[in-house]
Amino acid sequence: APDCFTPNNDGLNDFFEPKYFNITVQDFKILDRLGDVLYDDKNTCSWDGKYKNKECPQGVYIFRIVYTNPINTIVLEKFGKIVLMR
């Protein structure tokens, strides 16, 4: 997963989109520092830096991905930090 993105519509790094191969995403969330869910979508896994159609402020956010490995179908979870820069 990238560690920062800049949703400024310049065509470069406008979305936070973790890249993955050979896994099935079960859940994808973006949370603020208080743990409030700002984004929740397992289908797109692409956050535009908005919450309820309003731009989120520059800062550090948490991402959480729950996924399964197709080889042994174990459910795994990954957390990380992402910096939104404006």
Side-chain angles (χ1 to χ4, degrees):
D3 56 3
C4 70
F5 75 116
T6 56
N8 57 7
N9 295 317
D10 67 354
L12 301 170
N13 301 314
D14 287 331
F15 298 90
F16 171 61
E17 298 174 314
K19 303 298 181 202
Y20 51 88
F21 303 97
N22 297 325
I23 65 169
T24 302
V25 175
Q26 304 295 321
D27 193 28
F28 176 70
K29 287 183 172 52
I30 302 291
L31 303 97
D32 64 14
R33 289 179 176 224
L34 300 175
D36 295 325
V37 176
L38 305 178
Y39 180 83
D40 185 358
D41 189 344
K42 70 177 183 178
N43 296 318
T44 61
C45 295
S46 177
W47 184 45
D48 63 0
K50 294 180 181 176
Y51 175 63
K52 294 185 178 180
N53 290 323
K54 293 183 181 176
E55 291 183 349
C56 292
Q58 181 169 299
V60 178
Y61 294 86
I62 308 299
F63 70 88
R64 175 181 173 261
I65 301 174
V66 177
Y67 60 96
T68 56
N69 179 329
I71 296 171
N72 51 20
T73 65
I74 294 174
V75 177
L76 302 166
E77 182 176 44
K78 178 171 178 61
F79 284 91
K81 296 178 188 174
I82 182 73
V83 177
L84 188 159
M85 297 176 63
R86 297 235 178 249

